[in-house]
Structures are given as structure tokens and as C-alpha cells.
Amino acid sequence: MKRIAIFASGAGSNAAKIIEYFSTRNTIEVAVIVCNKPDAGVLKIAADHDIPTILIGKETFFRGDAYVAELKSLNIDFIVLAGFLWKIPQQLIAAYPNKMINIHPALLPKYGGKGMYGNKVHETVIANKEKESGITIHFVNEHFDEGEHIFQATCSIDETDDAATLAAKIHLLEHEHFPKVIESVVDEKN
Ligand code: GAR
């Protein structure tokens, strides 16, 4: 059984799907949810599933050991970023080489980088009159959204779409694919 940590700062719909998916499998266990916002919806999802949480602070994350000791003491094998918006410090990347992946709600390399997250991405994609968007799952390196791609899926954008309807399409793609991609990457890398 491999133990994964999900890092999330938002509503946590992806975290919920990942937890649900692995609850019926005996290969991967969601061992902890790591969050930087005390009022994030993902904390309630963790509580509902009896999954422990770590509420992290800027000081330890960016100027301390980035919670490496705590993650290692929990025997975490793999890290999944699911709507986590802080940049990952080098120390944490070095502790989990090729064992940390992120999901981004657009077709990278377009619409990525600092400040490009959540609805901002969808608003920009709509403003640019793109005909399609999608999701990118990639390894995490020291540059925002620039790690090696693992998986992409696309959806079309209609003239009637706005940022909210596009966000809904993207969430559907994420929920369908992310758990399966995690399963195959953890399997390959461990
Ligand atoms: C997801 O759409 C994810 O791709 C995005 O945040 C959302 C979180 O939703 N991540 C980024 O924008 C990272 N740059 P959720 O909290 O419902 O899973």
C-alpha cells in the first residue's frame, strides 16, 4: 500500500474524487490532506472521511523544512497537488523527486505560470476566444507549471460558454482522469 498526501487549498472536489476512488482499492491510501487555508472546503471533506490533516503555515513551508520531516514521519510516498496554490519549495521537491504531481486547469504550456489558477485561467481562456481548453497533469519542478507533462485531455468551448460553464467542463475532466492518472504514475514510480 502506497501512502499519498493530497495538498489542496480550495473546495476540494478533486480531493473528494481521489479519496472516493482509492477507498475501494488496496494499492494506494490517501494518508493525509495538507492545506494552507483554515476555512478551505477540503478540510470538511477530510473530516468526513476521517483523513488526518496538516494545516501548514508560511514560515515553516518557505523558511523552515517545508514539512518534509512531518511527511516522512507519516511515511508519505507520493504527493498530489489538487488545487494547491503556493509555490513548492525546493526542499520539498528534492525530498520527493519525480514523486509529486500537479493538475492544472488548462492546456499547458498555455495559460500557466504564477497567478494563473482556478477561475483566472478560465476567464483568460474565454477572453482570448479559444476554441478548446483542457487539463494538464504534470510532474512538479522548481518552475510554476513547467514540469514534464504526464497527461492532457481537452474539451471544446462553445460561443455560449463563460468562465463558470468552462470551469464545470474542466472539473468533469479532472474528476474523470486524475485518480486514474495518479494510480498509474504511483504504480510506475514505486
Ligand atoms: C482545479 O480546477 C485545479 O485544476 C485548479 O484548482 C481547482 C481546484 O478545484 N488548480 C490550479 O489552478 C493550480 N494552478 P477543487 O478544489 O474543487 O479540486
Side-chain angles (χ1 to χ4, degrees):
M1 192 79 130
K2 296 293 170 190
R3 290 166 62 78
I4 67 171
I6 299 178
F7 282 45
S9 329
S13 71
N14 278 287
K17 290 288 170 189
I18 297 164
I19 292 165
E20 226 169 80
Y21 184 86
F22 291 113
S23 68
T24 60
R25 281 161 175 78
N26 57 9
T27 47
I28 291 174
E29 177 185 4
V30 179
V32 68
I33 302 283
V34 176
C35 179
N36 64 289
K37 277 200 193 146
D39 58 348
V42 71
L43 293 172
K44 164 128 183 31
I45 290 166
D48 289 347
H49 291 86
D50 284 326
I51 296 176
T53 55
I54 306 174
L55 192 57
I56 61 172
K58 270 196 172 148
E59 193 57 34
T60 305
F61 198 60
F62 294 110
R63 286 175 288 278
D65 86 334
Y67 294 86
V68 168
E70 202 164 339
L71 293 165
K72 292 288 178 186
S73 78
L74 291 169
N75 295 316
I76 299 303
D77 300 296
F78 202 93
I79 295 177
V80 171
L81 311 183
F84 185 74
L85 305 182
W86 283 357
K87 193 163 191 279
I88 302 297
Q90 183 54 39
Q91 260 193 82
L92 190 51
I93 293 170
Y96 287 91
N98 280 323
K99 292 184 175 186
M100 192 183 322
I101 64 175
N102 177 46
I103 192 161
H104 186 78
L107 295 171
L108 292 173
K110 287 175 103 177
Y111 304 106
K114 198 169 179 351
M116 269 295 177
Y117 56 85
N119 268 338
K120 261 185 213 163
V121 175
H122 307 312
E123 280 160 13
T124 314
V125 168
I126 293 284
N128 287 352
K129 302 197 182 316
E130 295 283 0
K131 295 278 175 278
E132 66 170 18
S133 188
I135 62 171
T136 305
I137 299 170
H138 62 93
F139 286 107
V140 175
N141 69 12
E142 60 278 13
H143 304 292
F144 252 124
D145 300 329
E146 287 183 18
E148 185 196 334
H149 291 186
I150 300 163
F151 177 88
Q152 287 189 312
T154 60
C155 62
S156 62
I157 301 175
D158 308 319
E159 294 206 337
T160 53
D161 275 321
D162 58 17
T165 60
L166 176 56
K169 287 183 180 179
I170 295 288
H171 264 123
L172 277 180
L173 282 181
E174 294 184 328
H175 298 165
E176 180 188 349
H177 295 289
F178 203 14
K180 291 178 199 157
V181 173
I182 294 167
E183 188 170 42
S184 71
V185 177
V186 171
D187 205 36
E188 250 170 52
K189 293 282 165 194
N190 286 281

